[in-house]
Amino acid sequence: MTAAVLVLENGQVFSGQPYGATGETLGEAVFCTAMTGYQETLTDPSYHRQIVVATAPQIGNTGWNPEDGESTGSAGSDGIDGDSGKIWVAGYAIRNPTRRVSNWRATTSLEEELVRQGVVGIAGIDTRTVVRVLRDHGSMRAGVFSGPALASTEEMLGRVRSQPSMKGADLAGEVSTDRGYLVEPAQQARLTVAAIDLGIKTNTPRMFAQRGVAVHVLPSDTSFAAIRELRPDGVFLSNGPGDPATADAAVALTREVLGADLPLFGICFGNQILGRALGRSTYKMTFGHRGINIPVIDHATGTVSITSQNHGFALEGEAGEEFDTDFGRARVSHTCANDGTVEGVELLSGRAFSVQYHPEAAAGPHDAAYLFDKFVTLLEGDRANGTRA
């Protein structure tokens, strides 16, 4: 079998077999600790330009199906089903590919889908060792090479090191929808939300729809004037890839939303955008949080939620810290129980809040789904008080 290699920026090389398409792919090597949900991981736009190393030893047992994709970045006017199966990861590195697919929903195997979409991967490597390297030295630039792309170690390492770093990468516009679309609930909508697509996942508007909320999913470069024309009850900032320090336009838009006193809810990249709009800075984490079992403390209640996460950047701050902003007092509302990373910020007025993790839980636990209910309650309160903007 033709060989494949994973080459890390620090010069380490791991040899295996091609998995998926053959050729060359470059990206930032990161690891995901989730034991399930590989299809949701591969189709999450937040993984754009990243080579994902799976810590689970066996991958592919449930194959690939048309229902579990989380990508909506190129959705058509009909919205949620537009492109949910698009794989966004730059590459995939696994230990042991399953020998057979065993799931009644599967329409093809994982490897066949990787081949179909041209995603270069590698199998048969010691992923435990790769993960240890990334934990000790941090996420780093990498490349997977197979077939005609194989070359001398020096040449492949040169290609790896010539690619841009994730720090400073402005990627939200590359995964955002080209045009707005509407996702409606099965019954008559009672509320409307304008969702800024910075890399939104399929399950997010679905979670709103289940609560009777119609969602206008809008491109990342949408103006505040365009949002006001829709007369939404609130605004949502989605997850997404890249360095939040580059997202000045999204931060400016968020400040306009806050200035107009529209209710706002953000997740993941949206948490970093809200934090920046409130005057906080961001930084690149050593190796980030990527998995579905990460504990988060809510400092208002002391409750710990097990959460799904995928981020390599975070907000500066300390647990429970309060600070002044141009829009009133704010605080760090949530932190990670493992390492103290900021996992949420909010205005003390309750008009805006965000979390770093994924309450839409695709894949992952449902501990944080209540945050959608919290936002809906805020919107209903405005409706009842006649304060809708």
Side-chain angles (χ1 to χ4, degrees), residues 30-52:
V30 301
F31 63 89
C32 178
T33 62
M35 297 294 289
T36 61
Y38 61 78
Q39 182 170 337
E40 290 92 331
T41 294
L42 295 174
T43 55
D44 180 352
S46 297
Y47 279 111
H48 178 43
R49 244 184 64 185
Q50 293 181 317
I51 297 172
V52 176

PDB file of all heavy atoms in Angstrom, residues 30-52:
ATOM      1  N   VAL A  30      -4.472  19.702  15.241  1.00  0.00           N
ATOM      2  CA  VAL A  30      -5.151  19.792  16.531  1.00  0.00           C
ATOM      3  C   VAL A  30      -5.693  18.407  16.867  1.00  0.00           C
ATOM      4  O   VAL A  30      -5.796  17.542  15.996  1.00  0.00           O
ATOM      5  CB  VAL A  30      -6.306  20.814  16.498  1.00  0.00           C
ATOM      6  CG1 VAL A  30      -5.796  22.210  16.138  1.00  0.00           C
ATOM      7  CG2 VAL A  30      -7.394  20.388  15.512  1.00  0.00           C
ATOM      8  N   PHE A  31      -6.049  18.184  18.124  1.00  0.00           N
ATOM      9  CA  PHE A  31      -6.616  16.894  18.481  1.00  0.00           C
ATOM     10  C   PHE A  31      -7.997  17.067  19.106  1.00  0.00           C
ATOM     11  O   PHE A  31      -8.279  18.053  19.771  1.00  0.00           O
ATOM     12  CB  PHE A  31      -5.695  16.107  19.422  1.00  0.00           C
ATOM     13  CG  PHE A  31      -5.446  16.754  20.754  1.00  0.00           C
ATOM     14  CD1 PHE A  31      -6.282  16.509  21.833  1.00  0.00           C
ATOM     15  CD2 PHE A  31      -4.357  17.599  20.931  1.00  0.00           C
ATOM     16  CE1 PHE A  31      -6.048  17.094  23.069  1.00  0.00           C
ATOM     17  CE2 PHE A  31      -4.111  18.188  22.162  1.00  0.00           C
ATOM     18  CZ  PHE A  31      -4.955  17.937  23.231  1.00  0.00           C
ATOM     19  N   CYS A  32      -8.857  16.092  18.850  1.00  0.00           N
ATOM     20  CA  CYS A  32     -10.224  16.077  19.384  1.00  0.00           C
ATOM     21  C   CYS A  32     -10.394  14.830  20.236  1.00  0.00           C
ATOM     22  O   CYS A  32     -10.124  13.717  19.786  1.00  0.00           O
ATOM     23  CB  CYS A  32     -11.242  16.089  18.248  1.00  0.00           C
ATOM     24  SG  CYS A  32     -12.963  16.003  18.803  1.00  0.00           S
ATOM     25  N   THR A  33     -10.850  15.020  21.480  1.00  0.00           N
ATOM     26  CA  THR A  33     -10.972  13.913  22.431  1.00  0.00           C
ATOM     27  C   THR A  33     -12.324  13.215  22.391  1.00  0.00           C
ATOM     28  O   THR A  33     -12.562  12.302  23.182  1.00  0.00           O
ATOM     29  CB  THR A  33     -10.712  14.409  23.861  1.00  0.00           C
ATOM     30  OG1 THR A  33     -11.702  15.399  24.205  1.00  0.00           O
ATOM     31  CG2 THR A  33      -9.328  15.027  23.984  1.00  0.00           C
ATOM     32  N   ALA A  34     -13.223  13.608  21.499  1.00  0.00           N
ATOM     33  CA  ALA A  34     -14.545  12.988  21.441  1.00  0.00           C
ATOM     34  C   ALA A  34     -14.442  11.527  21.027  1.00  0.00           C
ATOM     35  O   ALA A  34     -13.718  11.178  20.087  1.00  0.00           O
ATOM     36  CB  ALA A  34     -15.438  13.737  20.452  1.00  0.00           C
ATOM     37  N   MET A  35     -15.175  10.665  21.723  1.00  0.00           N
ATOM     38  CA  MET A  35     -15.206   9.239  21.383  1.00  0.00           C
ATOM     39  C   MET A  35     -16.259   8.942  20.327  1.00  0.00           C
ATOM     40  O   MET A  35     -16.248   7.863  19.722  1.00  0.00           O
ATOM     41  CB  MET A  35     -15.488   8.406  22.636  1.00  0.00           C
ATOM     42  CG  MET A  35     -14.418   8.512  23.711  1.00  0.00           C
ATOM     43  SD  MET A  35     -12.843   7.814  23.184  1.00  0.00           S
ATOM     44  CE  MET A  35     -13.237   6.067  23.186  1.00  0.00           C
ATOM     45  N   THR A  36     -17.194   9.851  20.128  1.00  0.00           N
ATOM     46  CA  THR A  36     -18.243   9.684  19.124  1.00  0.00           C
ATOM     47  C   THR A  36     -18.402  10.996  18.366  1.00  0.00           C
ATOM     48  O   THR A  36     -17.830  12.018  18.736  1.00  0.00           O
ATOM     49  CB  THR A  36     -19.594   9.315  19.772  1.00  0.00           C
ATOM     50  OG1 THR A  36     -19.993  10.388  20.655  1.00  0.00           O
ATOM     51  CG2 THR A  36     -19.491   8.032  20.574  1.00  0.00           C
ATOM     52  N   GLY A  37     -19.199  10.959  17.294  1.00  0.00           N
ATOM     53  CA  GLY A  37     -19.526  12.184  16.580  1.00  0.00           C
ATOM     54  C   GLY A  37     -18.500  12.634  15.567  1.00  0.00           C
ATOM     55  O   GLY A  37     -18.382  13.827  15.281  1.00  0.00           O
ATOM     56  N   TYR A  38     -17.768  11.689  14.955  1.00  0.00           N
ATOM     57  CA  TYR A  38     -16.751  12.123  13.996  1.00  0.00           C
ATOM     58  C   TYR A  38     -17.360  12.824  12.785  1.00  0.00           C
ATOM     59  O   TYR A  38     -16.743  13.726  12.210  1.00  0.00           O
ATOM     60  CB  TYR A  38     -15.858  10.952  13.565  1.00  0.00           C
ATOM     61  CG  TYR A  38     -16.567   9.808  12.869  1.00  0.00           C
ATOM     62  CD1 TYR A  38     -16.949   9.894  11.539  1.00  0.00           C
ATOM     63  CD2 TYR A  38     -16.839   8.631  13.557  1.00  0.00           C
ATOM     64  CE1 TYR A  38     -17.597   8.845  10.899  1.00  0.00           C
ATOM     65  CE2 TYR A  38     -17.470   7.568  12.926  1.00  0.00           C
ATOM     66  CZ  TYR A  38     -17.855   7.679  11.601  1.00  0.00           C
ATOM     67  OH  TYR A  38     -18.498   6.641  10.972  1.00  0.00           O
ATOM     68  N   GLN A  39     -18.572  12.458  12.374  1.00  0.00           N
ATOM     69  CA  GLN A  39     -19.161  13.128  11.212  1.00  0.00           C
ATOM     70  C   GLN A  39     -19.466  14.588  11.535  1.00  0.00           C
ATOM     71  O   GLN A  39     -19.228  15.479  10.707  1.00  0.00           O
ATOM     72  CB  GLN A  39     -20.430  12.411  10.756  1.00  0.00           C
ATOM     73  CG  GLN A  39     -21.046  13.057   9.505  1.00  0.00           C
ATOM     74  CD  GLN A  39     -22.172  12.231   8.895  1.00  0.00           C
ATOM     75  OE1 GLN A  39     -22.253  11.028   9.094  1.00  0.00           O
ATOM     76  NE2 GLN A  39     -23.036  12.881   8.148  1.00  0.00           N
ATOM     77  N   GLU A  40     -19.988  14.839  12.729  1.00  0.00           N
ATOM     78  CA  GLU A  40     -20.258  16.212  13.141  1.00  0.00           C
ATOM     79  C   GLU A  40     -18.964  17.022  13.236  1.00  0.00           C
ATOM     80  O   GLU A  40     -18.916  18.196  12.878  1.00  0.00           O
ATOM     81  CB  GLU A  40     -20.991  16.229  14.483  1.00  0.00           C
ATOM     82  CG  GLU A  40     -22.425  15.716  14.419  1.00  0.00           C
ATOM     83  CD  GLU A  40     -22.523  14.213  14.715  1.00  0.00           C
ATOM     84  OE1 GLU A  40     -21.545  13.484  14.432  1.00  0.00           O
ATOM     85  OE2 GLU A  40     -23.567  13.783  15.233  1.00  0.00           O
ATOM     86  N   THR A  41     -17.913  16.375  13.712  1.00  0.00           N
ATOM     87  CA  THR A  41     -16.612  17.049  13.795  1.00  0.00           C
ATOM     88  C   THR A  41     -16.101  17.435  12.420  1.00  0.00           C
ATOM     89  O   THR A  41     -15.698  18.582  12.176  1.00  0.00           O
ATOM     90  CB  THR A  41     -15.581  16.141  14.495  1.00  0.00           C
ATOM     91  OG1 THR A  41     -15.964  15.954  15.861  1.00  0.00           O
ATOM     92  CG2 THR A  41     -14.181  16.735  14.440  1.00  0.00           C
ATOM     93  N   LEU A  42     -16.117  16.499  11.492  1.00  0.00           N
ATOM     94  CA  LEU A  42     -15.560  16.751  10.167  1.00  0.00           C
ATOM     95  C   LEU A  42     -16.314  17.831   9.398  1.00  0.00           C
ATOM     96  O   LEU A  42     -15.734  18.527   8.557  1.00  0.00           O
ATOM     97  CB  LEU A  42     -15.542  15.451   9.364  1.00  0.00           C
ATOM     98  CG  LEU A  42     -14.632  14.344   9.900  1.00  0.00           C
ATOM     99  CD1 LEU A  42     -14.825  13.058   9.098  1.00  0.00           C
ATOM    100  CD2 LEU A  42     -13.178  14.769   9.874  1.00  0.00           C
ATOM    101  N   THR A  43     -17.600  17.970   9.675  1.00  0.00           N
ATOM    102  CA  THR A  43     -18.422  18.946   8.944  1.00  0.00           C
ATOM    103  C   THR A  43     -18.607  20.263   9.701  1.00  0.00           C
ATOM    104  O   THR A  43     -19.318  21.140   9.222  1.00  0.00           O
ATOM    105  CB  THR A  43     -19.803  18.348   8.624  1.00  0.00           C
ATOM    106  OG1 THR A  43     -20.427  17.898   9.842  1.00  0.00           O
ATOM    107  CG2 THR A  43     -19.692  17.190   7.654  1.00  0.00           C
ATOM    108  N   ASP A  44     -17.977  20.401  10.855  1.00  0.00           N
ATOM    109  CA  ASP A  44     -18.066  21.638  11.637  1.00  0.00           C
ATOM    110  C   ASP A  44     -17.190  22.701  10.972  1.00  0.00           C
ATOM    111  O   ASP A  44     -15.969  22.535  10.876  1.00  0.00           O
ATOM    112  CB  ASP A  44     -17.584  21.358  13.063  1.00  0.00           C
ATOM    113  CG  ASP A  44     -17.640  22.588  13.968  1.00  0.00           C
ATOM    114  OD1 ASP A  44     -17.897  23.694  13.464  1.00  0.00           O
ATOM    115  OD2 ASP A  44     -17.407  22.419  15.184  1.00  0.00           O
ATOM    116  N   PRO A  45     -17.778  23.822  10.516  1.00  0.00           N
ATOM    117  CA  PRO A  45     -16.968  24.857   9.852  1.00  0.00           C
ATOM    118  C   PRO A  45     -15.876  25.438  10.748  1.00  0.00           C
ATOM    119  O   PRO A  45     -14.920  26.027  10.242  1.00  0.00           O
ATOM    120  CB  PRO A  45     -18.004  25.926   9.478  1.00  0.00           C
ATOM    121  CG  PRO A  45     -19.304  25.183   9.401  1.00  0.00           C
ATOM    122  CD  PRO A  45     -19.226  24.141  10.477  1.00  0.00           C
ATOM    123  N   SER A  46     -15.997  25.290  12.059  1.00  0.00           N
ATOM    124  CA  SER A  46     -14.971  25.811  12.965  1.00  0.00           C
ATOM    125  C   SER A  46     -13.637  25.104  12.780  1.00  0.00           C
ATOM    126  O   SER A  46     -12.595  25.604  13.220  1.00  0.00           O
ATOM    127  CB  SER A  46     -15.422  25.673  14.422  1.00  0.00           C
ATOM    128  OG  SER A  46     -16.573  26.439  14.676  1.00  0.00           O
ATOM    129  N   TYR A  47     -13.650  23.922  12.143  1.00  0.00           N
ATOM    130  CA  TYR A  47     -12.419  23.174  11.902  1.00  0.00           C
ATOM    131  C   TYR A  47     -11.772  23.526  10.560  1.00  0.00           C
ATOM    132  O   TYR A  47     -10.815  22.865  10.144  1.00  0.00           O
ATOM    133  CB  TYR A  47     -12.687  21.666  11.945  1.00  0.00           C
ATOM    134  CG  TYR A  47     -12.751  21.090  13.338  1.00  0.00           C
ATOM    135  CD1 TYR A  47     -13.952  20.624  13.865  1.00  0.00           C
ATOM    136  CD2 TYR A  47     -11.607  20.981  14.122  1.00  0.00           C
ATOM    137  CE1 TYR A  47     -14.012  20.072  15.137  1.00  0.00           C
ATOM    138  CE2 TYR A  47     -11.655  20.434  15.390  1.00  0.00           C
ATOM    139  CZ  TYR A  47     -12.855  19.979  15.889  1.00  0.00           C
ATOM    140  OH  TYR A  47     -12.908  19.439  17.151  1.00  0.00           O
ATOM    141  N   HIS A  48     -12.274  24.544   9.888  1.00  0.00           N
ATOM    142  CA  HIS A  48     -11.700  24.956   8.610  1.00  0.00           C
ATOM    143  C   HIS A  48     -10.204  25.218   8.760  1.00  0.00           C
ATOM    144  O   HIS A  48      -9.763  25.881   9.688  1.00  0.00           O
ATOM    145  CB  HIS A  48     -12.416  26.214   8.123  1.00  0.00           C
ATOM    146  CG  HIS A  48     -11.898  26.781   6.839  1.00  0.00           C
ATOM    147  ND1 HIS A  48     -11.576  26.006   5.746  1.00  0.00           N
ATOM    148  CD2 HIS A  48     -11.657  28.070   6.472  1.00  0.00           C
ATOM    149  CE1 HIS A  48     -11.163  26.782   4.761  1.00  0.00           C
ATOM    150  NE2 HIS A  48     -11.200  28.032   5.179  1.00  0.00           N
ATOM    151  N   ARG A  49      -9.414  24.646   7.865  1.00  0.00           N
ATOM    152  CA  ARG A  49      -7.957  24.783   7.792  1.00  0.00           C
ATOM    153  C   ARG A  49      -7.233  24.077   8.943  1.00  0.00           C
ATOM    154  O   ARG A  49      -6.107  24.426   9.285  1.00  0.00           O
ATOM    155  CB  ARG A  49      -7.534  26.259   7.737  1.00  0.00           C
ATOM    156  CG  ARG A  49      -6.848  26.618   6.429  1.00  0.00           C
ATOM    157  CD  ARG A  49      -6.345  28.030   6.410  1.00  0.00           C
ATOM    158  NE  ARG A  49      -5.292  28.265   7.405  1.00  0.00           N
ATOM    159  CZ  ARG A  49      -4.751  29.447   7.653  1.00  0.00           C
ATOM    160  NH1 ARG A  49      -5.183  30.505   7.004  1.00  0.00           N
ATOM    161  NH2 ARG A  49      -3.800  29.585   8.546  1.00  0.00           N
ATOM    162  N   GLN A  50      -7.853  23.043   9.518  1.00  0.00           N
ATOM    163  CA  GLN A  50      -7.202  22.287  10.578  1.00  0.00           C
ATOM    164  C   GLN A  50      -7.150  20.800  10.230  1.00  0.00           C
ATOM    165  O   GLN A  50      -8.091  20.256   9.651  1.00  0.00           O
ATOM    166  CB  GLN A  50      -7.922  22.497  11.913  1.00  0.00           C
ATOM    167  CG  GLN A  50      -7.780  23.926  12.422  1.00  0.00           C
ATOM    168  CD  GLN A  50      -8.469  24.151  13.742  1.00  0.00           C
ATOM    169  OE1 GLN A  50      -9.591  23.690  13.949  1.00  0.00           O
ATOM    170  NE2 GLN A  50      -7.815  24.856  14.650  1.00  0.00           N
ATOM    171  N   ILE A  51      -6.041  20.176  10.569  1.00  0.00           N
ATOM    172  CA  ILE A  51      -5.887  18.730  10.439  1.00  0.00           C
ATOM    173  C   ILE A  51      -6.228  18.129  11.796  1.00  0.00           C
ATOM    174  O   ILE A  51      -5.534  18.370  12.782  1.00  0.00           O
ATOM    175  CB  ILE A  51      -4.459  18.355  10.020  1.00  0.00           C
ATOM    176  CG1 ILE A  51      -4.140  18.937   8.632  1.00  0.00           C
ATOM    177  CG2 ILE A  51      -4.273  16.836  10.023  1.00  0.00           C
ATOM    178  CD1 ILE A  51      -2.691  18.794   8.218  1.00  0.00           C
ATOM    179  N   VAL A  52      -7.313  17.378  11.851  1.00  0.00           N
ATOM    180  CA  VAL A  52      -7.817  16.857  13.120  1.00  0.00           C
ATOM    181  C   VAL A  52      -7.225  15.477  13.397  1.00  0.00           C
ATOM    182  O   VAL A  52      -7.316  14.571  12.558  1.00  0.00           O
ATOM    183  CB  VAL A  52      -9.353  16.784  13.115  1.00  0.00           C
ATOM    184  CG1 VAL A  52      -9.871  16.156  14.408  1.00  0.00           C
ATOM    185  CG2 VAL A  52      -9.939  18.184  12.943  1.00  0.00           C
TER     186      VAL A  52
END
